[in-house]
């Protein structure tokens, strides 16, 4: 079993739709959870970062963590064509630069105008 | 957050040759990280490079194949040696940010023929 699993997609939605992206993980010791967005031919950029179980909202984006189920989600409201990218979940055991980050394989999202 | 310049952005190389990838950061950072991103797969950490010490390699990666230099706090290189088609991938350098999360360069897209 891989440490972090993520449906690779591709996922295609119409503009304005609510998008749900999900990851599951196997190691309950993960404490910090991140979502990265990667546009084509670019490096990943940090989108959301959360520590505790529950929801964290930032504009149109909501990150949700359920540690009991080892399941994290990213919701995008009112999706826009500019949201078309690959979304990678990531997690680590600690928050220092010495803590290794484990990435999911990414979900490719296309938002159709 | 730090700005990372990575070059070359892409290259096509003959098998058996070597390619050196450069990563320049606009601020001093203690640790730099090198990742490989293969199509449909997770970002995989190759090694961690601290200035003034030998790089630390992850399981499955060896110094003879991926020698790393870290001559100062703003610069690092990764060499992919004796390349084979299996080395075709995107290689990314990254640094850890103050508020956690990694900043990535745009990546080097390597094709070995």
């Amino acid at each position: 079993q891989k440490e972090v699993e993520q449906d690779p997609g591709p996922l295609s939605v119409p503009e304005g739709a609510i998008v749900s992206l999900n990851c599951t993980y196997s190691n309950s010791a993960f404490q910090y959870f991140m979502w990265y967005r990667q546009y084509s031919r670019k490096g990943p950029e940090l989108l959301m970062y959360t520590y505790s179980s529950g929801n964290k909202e930032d504009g149109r984006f909501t990150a949700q963590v359920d540690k009991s189920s080892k399941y994290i989600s990213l919701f995008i409201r009112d999706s826009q064509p500019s949201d078309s990218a690959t979304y990678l979940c990531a997690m680590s055991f600690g928050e220092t630069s010495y803590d290794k980050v484990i990435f999911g394989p990414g979900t490719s999202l296309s938002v159709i105008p | 957050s730090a700005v990372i310049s990575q070059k070359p952005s892409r290259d096509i190389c003959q098998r058996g040759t070597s390619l050196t990838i450069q990563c320049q950061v606009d601020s001093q950072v203690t640790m730099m990280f090198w990742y490989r991103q293969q199509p449909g797969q997770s970002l995989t950490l190759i090694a961690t490079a601290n200035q003034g010490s030998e790089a630390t390699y992850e399981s499955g990666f060896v110094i003879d194949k991926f020698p790393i230099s870290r001559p100062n706090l703003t610069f690092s290189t990764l060499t992919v040696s004796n390349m084979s088609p299996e080395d075709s991938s995107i290689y990314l350098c990254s640094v850890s940010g103050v508020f956690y999360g990694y900043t990535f360069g745009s990546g080097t897209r390597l094709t070995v023929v």
Side-chain angles (χ1 to χ4, degrees), chain A residues 35 48-50 54-57 61-65 73-75:
Chain A
W35 285 94
M48 302 269 308
Y49 160 62
T50 185
N55 295 348
K56 181 178 181 180
E57 191 172 316
F61 298 90
T62 299
Q64 186 176 81
V65 175
S73 299
L74 178 70
F75 298 97

Side-chain angles (χ1 to χ4, degrees), chain A residues 4 8 32 34 36 38 40-46 49 88 92 94-101 103-106, chain B residues 10 30-31 33 35 37 40-45 50 58 90 92 96 99-107 109:
Chain A
V4 180
Y32 296 87
M34 292 147 278
Y36 284 80
Q38 185 175 21
S40 179
R41 303 188 186 283
K42 297 291 185 183
E45 58 178 331
L46 181 65
Y49 160 62
L88 305 110
S92 69
E95 64 175 345
T96 73
S97 58
Y98 297 91
D99 291 295
K100 189 166 72 171
V101 177
F103 287 86
Chain B
R10 61 191 310 155
T30 304
M31 301 174 71
F33 306 87
Y35 283 85
Q37 186 176 32
Q41 296 189 28
S42 309
L43 278 163
T44 303
L45 181 64
N50 283 337
E58 296 298 306
I90 300 172
L92 296 138
S96 179
F99 297 106
Y100 202 69
Y102 284 71
T103 301
F104 287 85
S106 293
R109 188 177 297 268

Side-chain angles (χ1 to χ4, degrees), chain B residues 60-111:
Chain B
F61 298 97
V62 295
I63 187 172
D64 290 345
K65 177 67 176 177
F66 298 100
I68 288 172
S69 77
R70 183 76 203 276
N72 57 54
L73 290 173
T74 63
F75 187 79
S76 179
T77 66
L78 170 76
T79 299
V80 186
S81 303
N82 188 24
M83 289 184 285
S84 66
E86 292 71 33
D87 294 320
S88 297
S89 187
I90 300 172
Y91 293 85
L92 296 138
C93 69
S94 72
V95 301
S96 179
V98 173
F99 297 106
Y100 202 69
Y102 284 71
T103 301
F104 287 85
S106 293
T108 297
R109 188 177 297 268
L110 171 63
T111 302

Side-chain angles (χ1 to χ4, degrees), chain A residues 10-15 17 19 21 79-87 107-113:
Chain A
L11 181 62
S12 183
V13 302
E15 183 175 354
V19 177
L21 304 167
S79 57
Q80 302 296 309
S82 58
D83 296 327
S84 298
T86 297
Y87 290 81
T107 299
S108 175
L109 171 66
S110 293
V111 180
I112 311 301

